[in-house]
Amino acid sequence: MKFRPCIDIHNGKVKQIVGGSLKDKGNQAKENFTSVHSADYYAEMYKRDGLLGGHVILLNSPQSEYYESTRRQAEKALRAYPGGLQAGGGIHEGNAESFLALGASHVIVTSYVFKDGQIRWENLERLQRAVGREHIVVDLSCRRREGAYYIVTDRWQKFTDVELSTGILEQLSSYCDEFLVHGVDVEGRSCGVDENLAALLGGYEGRPVTYAGGIAGFEDLTRFKEVTGGRTDFTIGSALDIFGGKLSYDKVKSFV
């Protein structure tokens, strides 16, 4: 169980947002925090502290007028900490290699794999041929519907027909090196861990999995460790003091 840091970029700035509020139309999102620092400031901090496997997420669609400024921020972070960060947001076989060339250790993919509500295995195979399984993280961020968790795409706006389960994790594991799962219903709300989702992830013992969503304090972290059996990594955004929250980054980075 390890802490994975994050750098979320929206409209060309490092931000923390309420996950379920993100909209392509008007480039809108409910913001918890907007940083005065650029993305490389945080990348250099994570490098200094020896934190590996953090996530740089581009939250704008490639069609957005802000995409290029958001990408430039991501490039700053990746160049500042080569090999230490993963990059996600609009990744596909045609651009994945460019992010690795900038210094990303992995690319994080969602919408390219889940098209029209289904898993597109052929796209996973194309991406694997382009960059290799060892450089791929599959994002299985999800929302709850009818008592189950369904994978969501397109900046968490669209439900797929794919229910998250240990079986799906096992099926996808031959195509990737890791998984990233945002509990979108609690993401950015600092309202506590989605324990049912955490327990589901903790029941999987294959590739590394990182959970994001709702962790607001050390009681939450302790509970998360109990629920997952310590088998699942975690990331925290809005609750951290470096992003305007109350939770000490310095203490979290050493939590085990």
Side-chain angles (χ1 to χ4, degrees):
M1 177 174 160
K2 300 188 296 292
F3 168 55
R4 305 287 198 99
C6 64
I7 305 172
D8 294 344
I9 309 168
H10 183 245
N11 294 358
K13 296 181 179 180
V14 176
K15 295 183 181 180
Q16 287 294 314
I17 68 167
V18 177
S21 73
L22 191 61
K23 306 292 183 186
D24 282 343
K25 186 176 181 180
N27 300 291
Q28 296 177 0
K30 183 177 179 181
E31 299 173 6
N32 287 327
F33 175 81
T34 301
S35 180
V36 298
H37 301 294
S38 59
D40 54 325
Y41 168 88
Y42 294 97
E44 289 166 0
M45 181 190 305
Y46 302 153
K47 181 179 180 181
R48 178 198 71 203
D49 294 335
L51 296 172
L52 289 167
H55 313 107
V56 179
I57 307 296
L58 292 77
L59 292 173
N60 290 102
S61 157
Q63 289 72 46
S64 167
E65 63 193 281
Y66 291 102
Y67 179 78
E68 288 305 319
S69 60
T70 290
R71 178 168 171 130
R72 284 194 294 272
Q73 284 290 327
E75 290 174 356
K76 286 183 177 182
L78 297 174
R79 288 195 175 104
Y81 191 7
L85 297 166
Q86 304 171 353
I91 300 292
H92 52 78
E93 76 170 296
N95 67 5
E97 177 57 39
S98 69
F99 284 95
L100 296 180
L102 287 166
S105 65
H106 296 69
V107 289
I108 304 167
V109 62
T110 311
S111 300
Y112 180 63
V113 172
F114 298 93
K115 291 282 189 181
D116 302 318
Q118 303 296 322
I119 299 174
R120 298 303 180 190
W121 298 102
E122 66 275 16
N123 285 355
L124 261 176
E125 290 168 359
R126 291 189 185 103
L127 186 62
Q128 188 179 52
R129 287 195 296 270
V131 299
R133 180 199 61 75
E134 69 275 14
H135 294 298
I136 298 171
V137 177
V138 175
D139 185 334
L140 300 177
S141 295
C142 57
R143 305 184 79 163
R144 196 173 180 90
R145 186 175 67 184
E146 298 175 356
Y149 293 96
Y150 286 86
I151 296 162
V152 289
T153 67
D154 298 278
R155 289 150 303 286
W156 308 327
Q157 298 170 54
K158 296 180 181 178
F159 275 91
T160 70
D161 298 327
V162 183
E163 182 180 344
L164 182 63
S165 66
T166 55
I168 287 294
L169 291 165
E170 289 166 359
Q171 287 181 55
L172 291 168
S173 64
S174 61
Y175 295 92
C176 66
D177 195 45
E178 297 184 11
F179 295 103
L180 172 64
V181 181
H182 289 82
V184 178
D185 294 322
V186 295
E187 173 71 17
R189 300 181 187 274
S190 297
C191 58
V193 175
D194 185 330
E195 292 194 12
N196 291 323
L197 177 57
L200 188 160
L201 299 176
Y204 170 71
E205 299 184 20
R207 304 284 185 201
V209 180
T210 300
Y211 166 88
I215 296 174
F218 289 101
E219 289 184 2
D220 292 331
L221 276 175
T222 299
R223 181 60 180 156
F224 177 77
K225 187 174 183 179
E226 291 172 355
V227 169
T228 63
R231 287 183 289 272
T232 308
D233 292 344
F234 66 95
T235 188
I236 306 174
S238 299
L240 289 179
D241 54 5
I242 60 171
F243 295 125
K246 297 180 179 179
L247 193 56
S248 168
Y249 163 78
D250 287 330
K251 292 181 180 179
V252 166
K253 70 184 182 185
S254 59
F255 183 92
V256 291

